[in-house]
Amino acid sequence: MKSLYELGARRVWVLSTLPLGCLPGGRTVAGGPLRICAPFANLFAQTFNGQLSSAVNSIRTTLPNYDIRFIDVYTPLFNLINNPQPEGHFLYHINLTVQIILTLVNY
């Protein structure tokens, strides 16, 4: 991130990692027969995001005129995956369809 500053960048968005345990690979490997989100992978992702956010805040305070921001994409995606009802049944059916396809592919 400091290299970008040295190259002249003054506006940078740093995105968090995704809920890795909720991605198809994480669900297949560690999600059990129901393919639930893998809690350990998500814990590691949350820990990483916390450290990344701290690093971004530290850089922001040390470099002048550097508009660097940490953008949390983990939380909204995690909420959408685990509680699709507020967003409509369409997303629920997409999630269910992906799970069925992954189950069929693995057998």
Side-chain angles (χ1 to χ4, degrees):
M1 292 182 275
K2 288 182 181 179
S3 299
L4 292 173
Y5 181 83
E6 292 168 0
L7 290 171
R10 292 299 179 262
R11 292 186 187 143
V12 176
W13 287 7
V14 179
L15 303 180
S16 69
T17 190
L18 302 173
L20 302 176
C22 294
L23 297 178
R27 289 179 141 188
T28 300
V29 172
L34 297 177
R35 305 288 196 262
I36 62 170
C37 291
F40 291 118
N42 284 338
L43 180 62
F44 291 133
Q46 289 172 330
T47 301
F48 173 80
N49 288 338
Q51 293 171 348
L52 183 60
S53 177
S54 295
V56 167
N57 289 335
S58 175
I59 289 173
R60 184 183 317 125
T61 60
T62 60
L63 297 175
N65 302 322
Y66 197 21
D67 183 16
I68 184 169
R69 298 173 189 220
F70 176 77
I71 307 297
D72 177 21
V73 294
Y74 176 98
T75 302
L77 185 56
F78 182 81
N79 291 339
L80 182 64
I81 291 168
N82 286 303
N83 190 15
Q85 298 304 332
E87 302 302 326
H89 294 285
F90 179 72
L91 293 173
Y92 173 76
H93 291 300
I94 290 174
N95 189 23
L96 185 60
T97 303
V98 168
Q99 289 180 19
I100 291 170
I101 291 170
L102 288 174
T103 301
L104 293 174
V105 167
N106 287 320
Y107 287 104

